[in-house]
Amino acid sequence: MSLSLLVPKSSIRWPRVRLGDLADHRLGKMLDKQKNTGLPRKYLRNPNIRWFDVDLSDLQEILVEEKDIHKYELRDGDILICEGGEAGRAAIWKGDSRGIIFQKACHRVRVGPNLDARFFVHRLMFDYFNGGLEDYYTGATIKHFTGQDLARYEIPLPPLDEQKRIAAILDKADQLRQKRRQAIALLDSLTQSIFLEMFGDLVQKGKRSSSSLTVADVGRVQLGRQRAPKYQTGKFTRPYVRVANVYEDRIDLSDVLSMDFDDRDFRDYRLQSGDILLNEGQSTELVGRPAMWRNEIPDCCFQNTLVRFQSDTTKLLPEFALAVFLHYFRTGEFSKISSKTSSVAHLGASRFGRMPFPLPPVSEQTDFVKRAKRVREAKAASTLGDAGSLFSSLQHRAFSGQL
């Protein structure tokens, strides 16, 4: 069907039905890496789940009892949903399981005869990005989508034929958006390639040397201010950012909170352009996720779910420091040093400050920053633009019965 031929119809009211009445769902296998009996099986984690697709490039392996394998194997058409971290992100499994199971951080959903899998994931994506899952999440700092949350998740349910029609239309629009996104991802990898080409040897040398400079040697490391009832009097109200605002090389300001920062605290926690913010408390694969503050909001502060790094600009350019931290994040260096509880990993300001830091001459940093800036400008010119707007518009029309 040509997207240009779509004509809005009047809004249709569909019954709202809980997922628990439409599908079977199971939380994944609790992992015991100390277990020394069973059959070797690779397993899926949250990082393997992408929207609609499963990334099989980085699978780990454990031993599983034969009685548990059938319980946690996958069938063609099974839906996998992140339980924590970026809770609600979902993929559809294709083919047989090939000896792969899924761990406790993931839900497996098998739809019944009245629900189309692709329609459901499109609906879940729509709610994920538009705040429709907020009433179903458990947890404040780290959001979770538990089995109970999943069972009570309600969706407007059109007839099955209409579900498939909507899914087919949104699939086509998403293909346009994905092609543009692939171009942007290539530009992201280009910056990292430039970084490794110029400084890869220096990074590896720093990791091996006990006398190398540390993060604390080249800048200031500071944990944000705690949120507490005593800071909600309204006398010194100022905006602040938290872990929910800091993504990989991107600040999201769609949901900024505020609390009291008196003059002394404001001086200490006020963000400056060029500050680098890193997730202090997060799921293991997301801990340390960094982005640069570029004065998006004047007079803004930060919470203790974030660590701030301020470069000593006499010897370190902030843009180069960001490139180093993005490399550490993408290669798992932050998750390696983090301390872990049952559901949250913590970067730790002191542990972060002790990490090795490669410091080339400022002239080489400047050369890198200029090259990275050109890539960033190309990336800005290659935004999702019309493809993203079309997809968003079609989502809203589809789920309000106007396609």
Side-chain angles (χ1 to χ4, degrees), residues 99-359:
I100 298 173
I101 64 170
F102 60 106
Q103 72 156 135
K104 191 179 179 182
C106 310
H107 296 281
R108 182 190 65 200
V109 173
R110 285 179 178 163
V111 300
N114 296 318
L115 181 60
D116 179 75
R118 296 196 72 81
F119 170 84
F120 172 69
V121 176
H122 274 296
R123 177 71 210 197
L124 194 64
M125 176 191 283
F126 176 75
D127 284 338
Y128 179 93
F129 286 108
N130 290 279
L133 297 183
E134 292 298 324
D135 291 339
Y136 298 99
Y137 285 140
T138 299
T141 303
I142 306 298
K143 295 176 180 178
H144 292 271
F145 206 27
T146 68
Q148 289 182 329
D149 300 331
L150 198 58
R152 65 186 181 89
Y153 171 53
E154 283 188 348
I155 59 172
L157 191 70
L160 189 61
D161 286 348
E162 180 66 4
Q163 294 178 40
K164 292 180 178 179
R165 187 179 78 92
I166 289 171
I169 293 169
L170 293 179
D171 281 347
K172 288 186 177 182
D174 196 34
Q175 287 171 10
L176 296 176
R177 194 176 63 137
Q178 291 299 332
K179 288 180 179 178
R180 185 65 61 86
R181 180 165 286 145
Q182 288 165 10
I184 294 172
L186 287 172
L187 290 171
D188 280 337
S189 64
L190 178 58
T191 303
Q192 279 292 294
S193 296
I194 294 170
F195 175 81
L196 291 174
E197 177 190 346
M198 295 180 68
F199 308 112
D201 290 343
L202 184 63
V203 171
Q204 292 304 317
K205 181 179 178 182
K207 290 179 182 179
R208 294 191 297 265
S209 173
S210 59
S211 60
S212 62
L213 292 171
T214 66
V215 170
D217 291 330
V218 295
R220 180 191 183 202
V221 176
Q222 180 190 15
L223 196 61
R225 221 275 302 277
Q226 181 185 13
R227 185 183 182 188
K230 66 180 180 180
Y231 299 130
Q232 299 291 342
T233 67
K235 294 181 180 179
F236 307 99
T237 301
R238 302 184 191 275
Y240 71 93
V241 292
R242 62 200 196 282
V243 71
N245 302 114
V246 178
Y247 288 78
E248 185 177 349
D249 198 17
R250 175 173 66 90
I251 302 288
D252 179 1
L253 299 177
S254 60
D255 181 23
V256 175
L257 304 181
S258 60
M259 63 176 166
D260 292 349
F261 289 85
D262 60 24
D263 290 343
R264 184 182 63 181
D265 281 349
F266 180 59
R267 287 193 298 271
D268 202 22
Y269 296 106
R270 181 186 183 187
L271 290 169
Q272 307 290 332
S273 183
D275 287 355
I276 298 169
L277 298 169
L278 304 97
N279 289 185
E280 196 286 321
Q282 254 291 10
S283 55
T284 302
E285 69 273 11
L286 299 178
V287 70
R289 185 167 61 181
M292 181 180 290
W293 182 256
R294 303 177 192 274
N295 262 2
E296 289 87 347
I297 298 176
D299 298 337
C300 188
C301 301
F302 68 109
Q303 190 195 0
N304 66 343
T305 55
L306 298 171
V307 173
R308 169 168 70 176
F309 175 81
Q310 293 179 305
S311 300
D312 178 350
T313 54
T314 62
K315 55 187 175 183
L316 175 61
L317 301 181
E319 293 87 351
F320 178 78
L322 176 63
V324 173
F325 298 147
L326 283 169
H327 174 69
Y328 283 174
F329 172 67
R330 290 164 178 167
T331 56
E333 297 298 322
F334 290 140
S335 63
K336 288 178 186 176
I337 69 159
S338 64
S339 66
K340 300 169 182 67
T341 62
S342 58
S343 60
V344 182
H346 291 278
L347 181 62
S350 59
R351 287 190 298 274
F352 171 59
R354 292 193 297 270
M355 293 186 75
F357 193 95
L359 189 67

